[in-house]
Amino acid sequence: MTTFSEGPEDPFALSRAATVVLDDRGGIVGWSERAEALLGYPSGEVLGKPAAALLVDPRDREVVLAAVADCLHGRGWFGVVPVRHSSGRRVELGCRARIILRGDSGVEWFLVGAPAEEVIQWETDRAVLDGLFRRSPIGLTVHAPDMSILRVNRAISRFSRLPVEEHRGLYTSDFLIQQDTDTVESQMRDVLDTGRSSIFAEQSCRLRHDPSHELFVSVSAFRIQDSAGRVLGLAQTVEDVTEGHRARHRLTLLNKASARIGTTLDVARTARELAEVAVPDLADCVSVDLLEPVTRGEEPSQEMLGTVRRAAIRSMLPNQAEVMYPVGHTIHIPPDSLQAQCLAERRPVLDVDQKGMTKWLAGDPERAARVGEALGTPSLLVVPLVARGLVLGLLSLWRWHRRDPFEEGDLTLAAEFASRAAVCIDNARRYTQQHDAALTLQHSLLPHDVPRHPAVDVAHRYLPADAEAGVGGDWFDIIPLSGLRVALVVGDVVGHGIHAAATMGRLRTAVHTLANLDLAPDEVLSHLDDLVDRLAAEQPADDERVPQVVGATCLYAVYDPVSRQCALARAGHPPPVMVTTDGQAQLVDVPAGPPLGLGGLPFEAAEITLDEGTLLALYTDGLIQGRKRDVDESLADLCAALAVPADSLEETCRTVGSTLLHDRPAENGVADDVALLVARSRVLAGEQVAVWELAVDVTAAAKARALATAQLAEWGLEEMAFTTELIVSELVTNAYRYGGGYIGLRLIRDQHLICEVSDAGSSSPHLRRARTTDEGGRGLFLVAQLTERWGTRYSRDGKTIWTEQPLTPAPEP
């Protein structure tokens, strides 16, 4: 039976309750003032009268008799009974009855009553309090002002593994490690000092009897005071929120992983980001091992999963290099290891028996010994890296320091980590593959090393819009032509990236073909214009994946080091810059011409004479457009940069780049491609060239042979006289028979002996195989056998047939 109390809220407190004393016959022998107030009967009207007759309504007789029987049987009773008020109405009272023994063996009954609703509320409160200490799953502790424990409930007892009654007088430090004790006591002291309650303060909770097992609890605390305001101590509720904390922690890690993994399209960097995110929040050590083809950007074979290359590692170990395989190390996976099982089954594997490391290092006993000494028996979790159905490698995680072993929740988190990272790694792998392909394409399209040419010294720069992809639509070329001439080309395909590069490659190939035909610059551009038209017509207009070819620009120049003449033509391209030998830079006046691809519009060529040492700069519009200033100012800057004295053309290129590209902007996120070609003219010395004009008669061939023989003797090339006489004789004879107008002969000595015969005819010579019965037709066939190269070029007033012989005779087969 619950004891009486005098608390201000206790309805059975003597100051608040009605008290009645009954004798052994049920007569009223005691009546309090509070009883009179609650029931309306003055003491004079009730004393000595039977309680049942006075206070019980006949309708409630059965209920009251049952309560009396229970009271007699149990020698006491508590419950709610209906009582008749003096006004005749029924009043429900909560009643407690207790037997009182007299010295003369008589008995009396002491009854205490209060309004039923107050009693029920009080008992409910008492039941709640009792539940908190006996049945609540949330821990409850009550502390004295000195923070010693006064009382705990059974939930706390399950934490501490001590009986409830043994907690009294102990302190928090008797259960928690010192670090966590300091946190708890600091919170308690603040509540006691300020009276401010703390609500749901989440903190670590590691018990002294198992410090490696980390729990997280949510603690709320409030100060306890009596009715006079005196501080009696404080109470704390302690709730185990370890699972919730770990779930939030895992979610935080996933968010961090999403933000930090895959910031670049580099396989190695992505692997390092994965390792950096996982340590120390998820594991003490992490290694990322990828199949070897993945590290090269190739698609990995799914049949050969036995060898991986370490791509990243991160560890809390101070001697990591001695324990773990380093980055770049090739590892052959033992067939019976967890790693082999993980790759084969494509699912995470948890090392439950802690033998995973032993099998992993079965072939390296020395390292296995170091691992055992450093790590003891670590907990191991191995997760496959799988993306788009491809196994890329595996992620291995170890725990050995101040942590619980891995559990199912960690397995799910690691699998999500690996899934996200695998997609990023595969994206990086695919990018690497495409990037390598694009670079290969670009390198195959642009000239690698520019060989030394007798006509010009050159230097160049190429900067694609997409610096990472490394490909663009701009191009440049230096093409050797007959007669020691050289073609300088710069072009720009509209657009960026691999599609523009592919179109550029087709145009560049066409330029080489047209250059070999020795066409004039304006004719070359006319043919290119037709080609761009055809390329645009070939593309399907409804394929959004392939950008349409909408045009290109080009500047084509041919320089002759013998005549010092340079012919130029441009199709919608910026004009070249010429820097004279006295350092004056100016734009060359070349008719603009329409961009390639418009079709049907003519191109005009211009000719200038270049003194030896003149600088000629060809470039694309990416060098001068898109800057903060207008094009005219950029062109002025370009001229000024080219005019700066420099020790080499490479230095000139660097000066131009630093002047015009230091603030290179991006339009719509991408800057334009830039190509720059700088050439310094050279002039062939007069003693290396011999020129004659021959009379158009039957003696022309004989005269040509004599002149050639004499010139070769002067150059010290007598051993080439016989072959050269045959070549000159055949070419001059053809000019006499089929050319007309005039016959010109020119010999040029450089690394080759060049023989050129010009006439006014426009007919093209053809190489053919003469039949046995033919009297002629063998001349050009003979010329082709005696020379290294030969060909024909046309001018507005005729044609020239040329041949080249190496100065050093080739060895006989």
Side-chain angles (χ1 to χ4, degrees):
M1 185 171 62
T2 307
T3 59
F4 294 103
S5 67
E6 288 293 336
E9 297 179 0
D10 186 355
F12 292 124
L14 294 178
S15 60
R16 300 181 59 192
T19 56
V20 179
V21 180
L22 302 179
D23 59 20
D24 58 352
R25 295 179 180 273
I28 300 174
V29 296
W31 189 260
S32 69
E33 293 180 357
R34 184 62 177 159
E36 180 180 342
L38 286 177
L39 298 177
Y41 297 103
S43 59
E45 294 182 8
V46 298
L47 291 175
K49 294 182 179 180
L54 181 65
L55 302 177
V56 178
D57 189 284
R59 294 171 296 177
D60 300 324
R61 186 176 180 81
E62 296 290 336
V63 175
V64 174
L65 288 177
V68 171
D70 290 340
C71 182
L72 292 172
H73 180 267
R75 302 178 69 79
W77 183 81
F78 167 72
V80 176
V81 293
V83 179
R84 184 168 54 189
H85 192 273
S86 62
S87 63
R89 60 185 176 88
R90 297 169 69 240
V91 177
E92 289 191 342
L93 294 180
C95 182
R96 284 178 176 167
R98 175 179 296 178
I99 191 170
I100 301 174
L101 300 177
R102 295 290 186 180
D104 55 359
S105 298
V107 295
E108 291 182 345
W109 295 91
F110 184 70
L111 282 70
V112 181
E117 61 272 14
E118 294 183 14
V119 173
I120 292 172
Q121 182 62 52
W122 172 251
E123 287 300 323
T124 301
D125 293 345
R126 295 295 297 268
V128 170
L129 185 62
D130 181 70
L132 286 175
F133 280 98
R134 295 179 182 275
R135 287 173 292 279
S136 173
I138 299 175
L140 177 64
T141 64
V142 181
H143 297 261
D146 66 350
M147 292 189 290
S148 63
I149 296 174
L150 296 176
R151 187 177 179 184
V152 301
N153 67 353
R154 291 179 180 176
I156 292 294
S157 179
R158 289 192 292 271
F159 267 114
S160 63
R161 300 182 184 178
L162 279 179
V164 170
E165 59 274 8
E166 293 185 19
H167 287 75
R168 187 175 183 86
L170 299 180
Y171 291 85
T172 303
S173 58
D174 294 319
F175 304 101
L176 303 185
I177 66 171
Q178 190 60 47
Q179 180 180 352
D180 293 343
T181 296
D182 293 341
T183 303
V184 173
E185 290 187 345
S186 174
Q187 176 190 1
M188 293 168 62
R189 192 173 294 107
D190 182 69
V191 172
L192 284 171
D193 293 343
T194 66
R196 291 192 302 267
S197 299
S198 65
I199 301 175
F200 303 131
E202 194 167 296
Q203 59 200 46
S204 172
C205 177
R206 285 167 289 179
L207 301 172
R208 286 190 177 275
H209 63 75
D210 188 11
S212 63
H213 184 60
E214 186 173 26
L215 301 173
F216 288 89
V217 294
S218 175
V219 179
S220 297
F222 57 93
R223 193 164 68 181
I224 302 174
Q225 297 173 253
D226 63 12
S227 57
R230 290 174 299 180
V231 177
L232 304 178
L234 82 158
Q236 280 187 325
T237 61
V238 182
E239 182 179 5
D240 185 355
V241 294
T242 303
E243 288 304 317
H245 175 86
R246 289 177 178 173
R248 291 192 300 273
H249 179 65
R250 290 163 184 158
L251 182 59
T252 301
L253 283 181
L254 286 179
N255 291 335
K256 184 191 294 186
S258 299
R260 293 183 56 187
I261 299 176
T263 60
T264 67
L265 288 172
D266 179 81
V267 173
R269 177 59 189 162
T270 303
R272 288 197 299 272
E273 290 170 345
L274 170 58
E276 289 167 357
V277 169
V279 174
D281 293 325
L282 180 59
D284 296 316
C285 179
V286 167
S287 66
V288 182
D289 302 309
L290 302 178
L291 299 179
E292 289 197 87
V294 176
T295 62
R296 301 190 296 267
E298 302 170 4
E299 185 165 311
S301 169
Q302 302 301 283
E303 305 300 325
M304 302 178 64
L305 303 178
T307 302
V308 293
R309 183 180 294 273
R310 180 136 297 173
I313 185 169
R314 187 171 180 85
S315 173
M316 304 292 288
L317 282 173
N319 57 338
Q320 170 183 303
E322 300 176 6
V323 177
M324 312 302 294
Y325 287 123
V327 172
H329 184 80
T330 299
I331 305 171
H332 301 286
I333 302 176
D336 59 344
S337 64
L338 291 180
Q339 286 78 1
Q341 178 186 349
C342 171
L343 292 178
E345 298 178 0
R346 298 190 178 192
R347 65 175 183 84
V349 179
L350 187 59
D351 183 14
V352 294
D353 56 5
Q354 296 187 330
K355 295 181 180 179
M357 185 65 80
T358 303
K359 294 180 179 179
W360 173 249
L361 298 174
D364 192 346
E366 182 179 345
R367 186 175 295 273
R370 292 200 297 269
V371 169
E373 181 180 347
L375 309 185
T377 55
S379 176
L380 172 63
L381 177 58
V382 186
V383 188
L385 296 170
V386 181
R388 302 180 178 96
L390 289 178
V391 176
L392 307 177
L394 53 89
L395 171 68
S396 301
L397 306 100
W398 289 270
R399 279 186 183 173
W400 64 81
H401 176 63
R402 70 166 183 82
R403 287 178 183 269
D404 299 331
F406 287 112
E407 56 187 19
E408 289 299 322
D410 297 314
L411 188 146
T412 303
L413 174 62
E416 183 65 25
F417 254 57
S419 176
R420 298 189 183 196
V423 172
C424 295
I425 290 173
D426 193 50
N427 289 341
R429 177 193 67 81
R430 288 167 175 253
Y431 169 79
T432 301
Q433 187 178 45
Q434 295 179 4
H435 183 244
D436 291 345
L439 286 180
T440 301
L441 171 65
Q442 186 76 39
H443 292 163
S444 67
L445 296 178
L446 293 176
H448 295 277
D449 298 319
V450 179
R452 177 178 173 81
H453 195 280
V456 289
D457 294 323
V458 295
H460 56 83
R461 284 292 182 275
Y462 181 79
L463 185 62
D466 187 348
E468 291 190 358
V471 295
D474 291 8
W475 88 93
F476 63 91
D477 248 319
I478 302 96
I479 307 174
L481 302 176
S482 62
L484 294 185
R485 296 170 308 129
V486 65
L488 304 175
V489 190
V490 168
D492 182 0
V493 174
V494 174
H496 313 287
I498 194 168
H499 297 291
T503 302
M504 174 268 285
R506 300 176 74 172
L507 294 182
R508 180 172 180 257
T509 301
V511 169
H512 272 263
T513 302
L514 296 171
N516 288 333
L517 295 176
D518 267 324
L519 298 179
D522 53 334
E523 295 178 3
V524 169
L525 295 184
S526 295
H527 286 289
L528 281 181
D529 185 49
D530 294 339
L531 175 60
V532 173
D533 270 341
R534 289 196 297 274
L535 290 178
E538 290 174 0
Q539 288 184 303
D542 57 349
D543 191 349
E544 298 180 354
R545 297 171 300 174
V546 181
Q548 299 295 304
V549 176
V550 295
T553 66
C554 185
L555 172 61
Y556 188 91
V558 175
Y559 173 64
D560 186 343
V562 177
S563 65
R564 298 188 293 116
Q565 294 299 304
C566 181
L568 309 96
R570 62 187 178 115
H573 204 83
V577 176
M578 180 177 68
V579 182
T580 59
T581 54
D582 59 357
Q584 299 299 314
Q586 61 186 24
L587 297 176
V588 180
D589 185 14
V590 181
L596 300 174
L598 295 184
L601 299 176
F603 298 93
E604 296 182 47
E607 285 198 3
I608 57 175
T609 301
L610 302 181
D611 293 332
E612 184 167 16
T614 299
L615 199 68
L616 196 64
L618 288 69
Y619 53 92
T620 56
D621 58 6
L623 187 66
I624 58 172
Q625 290 183 349
R627 305 176 71 226
K628 296 179 180 178
R629 291 175 289 176
D630 59 29
V631 173
D632 290 338
E633 291 180 343
S634 295
L635 287 173
D637 289 343
L638 175 60
C639 292
L642 290 169
V644 174
D647 294 334
S648 67
L649 295 181
E650 287 292 334
E651 185 177 340
T652 298
C653 287
R654 286 193 293 271
T655 301
V656 170
S658 62
T659 301
L660 279 84
L661 300 179
H662 70 279
D663 58 348
R664 185 186 189 205
E667 297 178 358
N668 299 323
V670 180
D672 198 5
D673 304 321
V674 173
L676 171 66
L677 179 62
V678 179
R680 178 176 286 119
S681 64
R682 304 174 68 189
V683 176
L684 209 62
E687 60 270 17
Q688 293 180 264
V689 183
V691 182
W692 303 278
E693 186 170 341
L694 305 175
V696 185
D697 56 30
V698 295
T699 63
K703 180 65 174 176
R705 289 195 297 272
L707 292 172
T709 301
Q711 186 62 52
L712 292 179
E714 182 178 339
W715 285 340
L717 301 175
E718 292 87 347
E719 70 278 4
M720 302 181 68
F722 178 73
T723 302
T724 304
E725 283 184 11
L726 291 177
I727 295 170
V728 168
S729 179
E730 177 59 32
L731 297 183
V732 171
T733 299
N734 283 342
Y736 168 71
R737 289 180 177 178
Y738 309 112
Y742 73 95
I743 300 176
L745 173 64
R746 184 167 75 168
L747 296 181
I748 302 174
R749 176 178 62 84
D750 190 63
Q751 295 179 354
H752 291 77
L753 177 62
I754 300 172
C755 175
E756 299 179 342
V757 175
S758 304
D759 61 55
S762 59
S763 60
S764 176
H766 296 285
L767 180 67
R768 63 186 180 88
R769 186 177 295 276
R771 291 172 296 186
T772 306
T773 56
D774 290 345
E775 295 183 1
R778 299 177 178 84
L780 283 181
F781 181 79
L782 181 62
V783 169
Q785 300 303 309
L786 296 176
T787 61
E788 187 175 79
R789 292 196 313 149
W790 74 280
T792 305
R793 67 174 181 267
Y794 295 88
S795 62
R796 290 179 174 82
D797 54 358
K799 69 176 183 296
T800 298
I801 302 177
W802 55 270
T803 65
E804 290 184 1
Q805 303 173 73
L807 292 185
T808 303
E812 295 183 3

